[in-house]
Amino acid sequence: MITVNQDFYTLRCINCKTEFDERETCTICLKCKSPLNVEYNYNFIRQRLNLYALKNSPISALKYLTLYPILNLEKIVTLNEGGTPLHRCRNLSKKFGLKNLYIKNEGANPTGVFKDRGTLVEVTKALEMRAKAVCFASTGNMAASVSAYCTLAKIPCYVLVPEGTPIGKLAQTLSYGARIIQVRATYSECATLAEKMAKKYGFYLAGDYAFRLEGQKSLGYEIAEQLGWKAPDYVLCPVGVGTNISAIWKGFVEMKLLGLIDSLPKIIAVQPENCNVVVKAFNSKSKKLIRIDKPDTICSAVAVSMPFDGPKVLKALKDSHGSAVSVSDEEVLMTEQSMAKEEAIFVEPSGALPMAAMAKLTAHKFFKKDDVVICVATGNGLKDPKSAVKIIPEPPTIDPDMHEVDNYLKYKLYQIQSEGIKNKAKILWKKIPAEKDLKKIIHNEFGIEINPQVLKTIIDSIRAFETKGKNIIKQDLQNIIEEQLDEYSSKDKYLEIIDFEAKTSKYKQASASIKIRYGEKILLGQATGVGAVDAIITALKRSIKEHDKMFIRLTDYNVEIFTGGVEAAVKVTMSAVDKNGNKIIAHATSPDVIVASIRAFEKCYNFLYLKNYKHGHK
Ligand SMILES: *Cc1c(COP(=O)(O)O)cnc(C)c1O
Ligand SMILES: [Zn+2]
């Protein structure tokens, strides 16, 4: 067994300074519950460190092994983390009037997030300490990262996540084989529960503790290395628990101590407005961290009520003469788009926080033109794709027909993807505009042209909104347009709903009746069902039963609620397949879920009708 001298580091509480044996605790101080810090004997590190090798070997987190508190070098658990690109921003730097703006793209790590750097050390330590199982709380990324490494090390791993954790992160964690429990609680409550679970069952408690921080230092080392062994002027980093930003700072301090760089950067902490415990503390006179009970932000990875490493962050900001900034969720989502569209780097919302702060800071002329500024893009956009598609309209769907491609280009339908994201909640008019005014509004808001036929159907949908007594906000109009764009291929409706009625009550089955036009015929249908939507769709199917030869089956049904302004509108997505295996996915938007469902069904039916009976005759 290759083991190194046990005197090379100690674990000490940052508050009461008590020293602990790592077998006793490696997470929180047993006396005052404060975070612990790993303190090194740097003379010992200097003896082991081969500066020549360090400067001449390819970049990776593993080459800094001598700077991690690992005793048994035979048991390293690694997926080859770090060595992520330091991307020079060609386009955003122009926008901000800076010469040296970079993105450290941490989404390029093995599980798509910087946390892998910390997990390398943490799970290696778990193995070193012969953990029978690992348990921890997570907002999603820690879950994926730790479970990946536990899988490699063959250690069972239990994860507590808040209910509603983004699907990309859940899918990844489940696939690595973790034992996940979703908890109806915030991240901080999950963390308390994980602590109790670890104690009761003797599991190794993973999370934002001292050993993880040691691994994450390599983010700082690498920035210096990639700048040619120089510190930048500024590093902007999101803060959740605060471990990462503290680790980056410690990384730079150590590099200076070891003579690898000769200056230190200023650190800027960035948090969402609705969850900015550290920013508030830093900017207040008292510097006291005040818990936020219900963090409410799209940046789920930093939705932390009480940052455990908050004291370390405040110290890093103070020691580095740094600063702290909050930004709104809307600024974050816009920035997520501009990072992708200007620099081709797709991040999850939390990863966009630093660049969102750049927009704010440069507006106040915070930087000098020559400053070297690094934004840490903490996580990959694929982790939380829903946050992105929520603000970008769905692309139009067409049949494989060149005429439809012509339309797409002629009416500039691609514009809706780039223009449709600002001012979602704006109320667009007081009174329904005339056709030609509506055309103008659509052009101004979304940059697309609309042909007269589609314009008519859009007006119909708008009327339906107004009938239900709902103001149309920009998001609604976007959904309506999105829905109608697909209708380029179904100009004549074979099936059309004329009227319907649905009744539901707490104790009885729902019942519905419907009147439709089916070709030349007028048909009626009635049915009961478990709910109103179910009853209506059954009534619909029943009304056409003796004429229909397509035997449509619904394969998926999904309702999304768009909030914005006073009331919500829903978007229904329905998938259907006919007896010949033709498939269709249709969307419909309305303030009323039944109306949206009926319209989606109507669309499904008419599309499939065209497929079966019209295209065949061409
Ligand atoms: C964990 C995480 C953060 C926050 O890092 P802390 O160490 O908790 O401050 C930020 N962004 C992403 C994508 C994360 O996964
Ligand atoms: Zn203590």
Side-chain angles (χ1 to χ4, degrees), residues 197-211:
M197 186 176 172
K199 200 162 181 188
K200 179 157 184 186
Y201 293 96
F203 298 157
Y204 181 93
L205 181 62
D208 283 297
Y209 302 113
F211 286 145

Side-chain angles (χ1 to χ4, degrees), residues 113-115 141 208 238-244 301-302 348 350 378-379:
V113 72
F114 72 85
K115 288 190 171 68
N141 282 335
D208 283 297
V239 171
V241 175
T243 314
N244 192 36
V302 296
E348 65 165 279
S350 299
T378 44

Side-chain angles (χ1 to χ4, degrees), residues 513-551:
S513 56
I514 192 149
K515 182 179 179 185
I516 63 165
R517 180 182 63 72
Y518 189 74
E520 310 279 282
K521 302 179 202 61
I522 299 292
L523 303 173
L524 301 172
Q526 275 187 339
T528 54
V530 290
V533 173
D534 180 45
I536 288 261
I537 300 291
T538 311
L540 234 166
K541 282 184 167 171
R542 216 168 259 176
S543 68
I544 55 174
K545 193 161 183 182
E546 50 187 282
H547 310 281
D548 176 55
K549 299 282 179 297
M550 297 197 297
F551 303 103

Side-chain angles (χ1 to χ4, degrees), residues 200-230:
K200 179 157 184 186
Y201 293 96
F203 298 157
Y204 181 93
L205 181 62
D208 283 297
Y209 302 113
F211 286 145
R212 161 166 302 277
L213 189 150
E214 293 309 304
Q216 285 168 195
K217 290 184 305 193
S218 64
L219 218 172
Y221 303 156
E222 286 188 3
I223 293 171
E225 178 175 350
Q226 285 166 314
L227 292 172
W229 306 100
K230 278 201 187 78

Side-chain angles (χ1 to χ4, degrees), residues 133 147 156-160 173-174 177-181 197 203:
S147 59
C157 138
Y158 297 89
V159 196
L160 304 174
T173 311
L174 284 167
R179 301 169 182 175
I180 306 185
I181 313 174
M197 186 176 172
F203 298 157

Side-chain angles (χ1 to χ4, degrees), residues 112-115 139-142 169 187 208 212 216 237-246 271 300-304 307 309 313 348-353 376-380 383:
V113 72
F114 72 85
K115 288 190 171 68
T139 58
N141 282 335
M142 179 95 73
K169 303 178 185 186
Y187 163 76
D208 283 297
R212 161 166 302 277
Q216 285 168 195
C237 182
V239 171
V241 175
T243 314
N244 192 36
I245 199 169
S246 312
Q271 291 192 297
S300 57
V302 296
V304 177
D309 275 336
V313 183
E348 65 165 279
S350 299
L353 283 163
V376 181
T378 44
N380 193 312
K383 295 276 203 164

